Amino acid sequence: MSAPYDLNDDSVVVIIGSGAGGGTLGTQLALKGIDTVILEAGSRHETWDFINDEWDSFAQLAWKDKRRTSGDWRVSTDFPNLPAWIVKSVGGSTVHWAGASLRFQEHEFKTKTHYGEVKDANLLDWPIDLKEMEPWYAMAEDRMGVTRTNGIPGLPGNNNFKVMEAGAKKIGYKEVHTGRMAINSVPRDDRSSCLQIGFCFQGCKSGAKWSTLVAEIPKGEATGKLEVRPDSMVLRIEHDASGKVTGVVYADKDGKQHLQKARVVAVAGNSIESPRLLLNSHSSKFPDGLANSSGQVGRNYMRHTTGSVYGIFEKPVHMYRGTTMAGIIRDESRHDPARGFVGGYEFETLSLGLPFMAAFLDPGKWGGDFADAMDNYRNMAGMWIVGEDMPRADNRITLAEETDEHGMPIPDVHFDDHENDNAMRDHAYRQGSAIYEAVGAVRTIHTPPYPSTHNLGTNRMSEKAEDGVVNRYGQTHDIPNLFVSDGSQFTSGAAENPTLTIVALALRQADHIAGRMAKGEL
Ligand SMILES: Cc1cc2nc3c(=O)[nH]c(=O)nc-3n(C[C@H](O)[C@H](O)[C@H](O)COP(=O)(O)OP(=O)(O)OC[C@H]3O[C@@H](n4cnc5c(N)ncnc54)[C@H](O)[C@@H]3O)c2cc1C
Ligand code: SF4
């Protein structure tokens, strides 16, 4: 058989979502000769369609379906219907992403062991560790062409990096460089090197940035074993009397519903849609939703402890020129409770264009301070804080009463900051200001977290079925032929940007699924 596949073909693996997890898994299965269909809610936009304009690009690519928020996080006040800034398009959020690709540290796989009991946190050790993940990380780094691995040189530093580097070194930080980035610093994998255009979040028109859209899916499709069906929004997963999943119901772009049969189903819709789909797939056999015997589906939503620090200088910096996130300080990523919190954080260079800056610098603010900052945009340098936040049972995705155009309940995203998150953010704000002040900043600005770009943890991985949703391979504890393949598997969030780990887990999962299929176990 080869793509396109028939709706009644029940021998195919069906993957829901084509982003970091789903796009990688689908490609890897196809490369192993397995018939695979990816159903993707968004349309297909290619590199030449991308728009180097922030709001127009957002309108083209972002997930804008209605969502609700609750909880004490600022996002709930500032952007009540936009809890997350992620993508609805073939390639998923790897189309928007910046490319920072870091391995987790050993202790971050075992937070309960290393951090102990943290009040009001739902810490749990992952059932896997760094040693087990190392070969998969190595494979992912090679696939993605991560700089500073496999002999690939680092990217050049732009002005934004040079300002951050000078300040960081002045206050004593040691591990400062242009990062491990899945962006070509030299031509590789039939894609050009970075042209320093500076629109990395808008898709990257040169193709230098790795995404499943440009670097994975075309290889899967070339095998004839992968069909990517865009404009296909999955509404529910179906199962038989024994409880095994048998296929999925999806709506096409005209709203017409179809049933695609499947041998195996893998959910990879990112950490809000994946639990929403499992919850929306409830039935008389599974009244609380699929794979939810533990009651953990939707819980432990994490988004990283984020925030930004901007410095205003007397002379121009032009932070928006060049690769957006090629710059990192790693010294604070260690676990060192003497700082007043568990876990650690990174600083990474960040710049927003003028249109986004006006919306996100201090949401809802106007007046002298805000106008002064915007007046000084040219003279600004910026960096982002990304740190480990605490998993909490009540930070969760639930179904709201309101429904979407297909009649399916929309998700409510509830998040309260943990006091550890606040202590970490305050520490990072102070250190960030110190970095810029050390090199002459006339003013520094602390910006609250944007809508979440890192969405994690709502179908957590656990050793025991009662503690989580999936096992060490992302296979649901309850249903053997139902898998979770995206960032919702994360047991805890770590200080590092998540995508390298999502890709490494997807490569490992493909190996597992192919092996089990070959033995007739799936
Ligand atoms: C601006 C920005 C910058 C970022 N920078 C970095 C970075 O530098 N480093 C890093 O590690 N991470 C970064 N990230 C995060 C990274 O993009 C995500 O962690 C990663 O893409 C998540 O992978 P995923 O597979 O969980 O989901 P996604 O990549 O979001 O893919 C999910 C896909 O599923 C589809 N989908 C959802 N529901 C359904 C449904 N019901 N039916 C069919 N399809 C569905 C969606 O349309 C989407 O295409 C960034 C994100 C953004 C937005
Ligand atoms: S700076 Fe490099 S990675 Fe970013 S959009 Fe331009 S070419 Fe792509």
Side-chain angles (χ1 to χ4, degrees):
M1 274 164 296
S2 65
Y5 294 97
D6 193 89
L7 288 172
N8 288 316
D9 187 342
D10 59 5
S11 71
V12 295
V13 175
V14 167
I15 300 171
I16 300 156
S18 62
T24 304
L25 176 67
T27 300
Q28 192 67 356
L29 288 175
L31 290 170
K32 289 174 181 290
I34 293 171
D35 298 296
T36 307
V37 176
I38 297 181
L39 297 172
E40 167 53 54
S43 302
R44 190 159 184 156
H45 302 283
E46 301 292 352
T47 45
W48 47 91
D49 301 325
F50 294 149
I51 309 166
N52 285 354
D53 174 297
E54 286 180 316
W55 284 117
D56 285 353
S57 173
F58 183 87
Q60 180 189 46
L61 299 171
W63 185 285
K64 298 178 294 297
D65 296 17
K66 189 140 191 217
R67 288 170 166 166
R68 281 185 20 189
T69 48
S70 53
D72 70 9
W73 55 333
R74 271 280 301 261
V75 170
S76 187
T77 316
D78 299 333
F79 307 97
N81 298 119
L82 190 74
W85 172 18
I86 46 179
V87 173
K88 183 180 185 180
S89 182
V90 173
S93 306
T94 66
V95 177
H96 263 340
W97 85 314
S101 302
L102 305 168
R103 295 184 182 194
F104 282 13
Q105 304 166 72
E106 170 58 30
H107 69 267
E108 290 168 332
F109 284 104
K110 305 288 171 195
T111 53
K112 182 132 194 196
T113 302
H114 289 273
Y115 304 171
E117 273 309 325
V118 176
K119 192 167 168 279
D120 294 333
N122 194 17
L123 289 171
L124 184 71
D125 288 352
W126 291 59
I128 52 179
D129 59 16
L130 181 61
K131 195 163 185 330
E132 184 167 349
M133 285 303 292
E134 265 164 2
W136 303 104
Y137 273 137
M139 189 191 271
E141 285 162 349
D142 185 39
R143 279 285 265 272
M144 298 164 83
V146 177
T147 58
R148 293 191 163 78
T149 74
N150 296 290
I152 305 168
L155 285 157
N158 63 3
N159 284 357
N160 201 23
F161 170 71
K162 285 176 186 154
V163 172
M164 181 177 94
E165 182 188 33
K169 293 204 163 148
K170 243 184 161 162
I171 69 163
Y173 286 139
K174 302 271 183 302
E175 208 182 331
V176 189
H177 52 72
T178 59
R180 291 176 176 248
M181 304 293 293
I183 293 177
N184 280 349
S185 57
V186 288
R188 193 173 192 269
D189 195 26
D190 287 333
R191 291 179 291 114
S192 77
S193 58
C194 174
L195 303 178
Q196 302 287 324
I197 305 168
F199 284 94
C200 313
F201 289 170
Q202 284 70 39
C204 181
K205 281 177 95 66
S206 85
K209 183 183 80 170
W210 178 91
S211 66
T212 53
L213 175 72
V214 300
E216 299 295 325
I217 288 168
K219 292 186 190 119
E221 288 173 326
T223 66
K225 293 282 183 185
L226 173 64
E227 179 191 351
V228 178
R229 212 173 290 164
D231 301 304
S232 304
M233 172 77 185
V234 178
L235 308 179
R236 319 187 275 283
I237 302 169
E238 303 270 292
H239 63 80
D240 63 15
S242 76
K244 270 179 63 177
V245 295
T246 51
V248 307
V249 175
Y250 70 94
D252 67 19
K253 68 174 181 313
D254 302 316
K256 197 163 168 246
Q257 296 191 11
H258 309 270
L259 171 67
Q260 171 66 57
K261 292 195 174 158
R263 174 173 175 181
V264 171
V265 173
V267 183
N270 206 319
S271 298
I272 299 176
E273 288 311 305
S274 288
R276 175 192 179 209
L277 184 58
L278 294 178
L279 295 172
N280 269 335
S281 301
H282 60 81
S283 63
S284 52
K285 190 171 178 66
F286 300 114
D288 298 326
L290 294 189
N292 199 18
S293 63
S294 63
Q296 293 292 318
V297 170
R299 293 188 184 272
N300 311 303
Y301 170 65
M302 293 169 287
R303 56 174 318 259
H304 275 147
T305 297
T306 67
S308 314
V309 181
Y310 293 95
I312 295 177
F313 295 85
E314 274 172 9
K315 292 196 179 149
V317 178
H318 298 296
M319 64 174 174
Y320 50 87
R321 293 181 184 163
T323 324
T324 309
M325 207 165 256
I328 192 164
I329 304 168
R330 301 215 61 190
D331 298 62
E332 300 285 3
S333 67
R334 69 193 188 281
H335 168 54
D336 173 10
R339 290 172 301 181
F341 52 87
V342 298
Y345 65 89
E346 324 263 349
F347 285 116
E348 295 171 350
T349 51
L350 174 71
S351 77
L352 299 180
L354 205 48
F356 269 18
M357 195 53 107
F360 295 114
L361 182 71
D362 200 347
K365 276 279 164 66
W366 195 238
D369 275 356
F370 178 79
D372 174 68
M374 297 308 290
D375 263 355
N376 280 296
Y377 177 72
R378 272 191 337 161
N379 297 8
M380 238 183 225
M383 59 184 153
W384 197 51
I385 302 155
V386 49
E388 175 159 20
D389 59 338
M390 290 295 102
R392 307 182 80 179
D394 290 337
N395 283 349
R396 61 189 293 208
I397 315 303
T398 52
L399 300 177
E401 275 173 24
E402 196 178 339
T403 54
D404 65 12
E405 75 261 39
H406 308 292
M408 306 307 289
I410 64 167
D412 179 87
V413 183
H414 181 95
F415 189 86
D416 297 318
D417 277 307
H418 190 277
E419 61 185 38
N420 196 75
D421 309 349
N422 291 330
M424 181 187 286
R425 185 179 296 113
D426 287 345
H427 187 273
Y429 279 153
R430 279 196 303 278
Q431 291 303 107
S433 283
I435 290 167
Y436 287 142
E437 280 158 8
V439 282
V442 291
R443 181 181 162 197
T444 62
I445 300 167
H446 299 161
T447 295
Y450 310 125
S452 318
T453 52
H454 299 174
N455 296 272
L456 307 165
T458 50
N459 293 308
R460 70 171 9 177
M461 193 183 272
S462 64
E463 189 69 56
K464 294 192 208 138
E466 63 263 32
D467 292 335
V469 180
V470 300
N471 69 13
R472 56 198 291 111
Y473 295 108
Q475 180 181 31
T476 60
H477 287 298
D478 296 352
I479 303 176
N481 66 339
L482 177 62
F483 288 76
V484 174
S485 317
D486 58 14
S488 68
Q489 291 172 84
F490 283 24
T491 312
S492 57
E496 290 73 25
N497 315 55
T499 306
L500 181 74
T501 302
I502 296 173
V503 171
L505 286 172
L507 293 169
R508 180 170 170 276
Q509 188 179 70
D511 215 46
H512 177 76
I513 291 176
R516 299 282 304 270
M517 282 175 80
K519 286 192 206 146
E521 292 171 2
L522 276 176

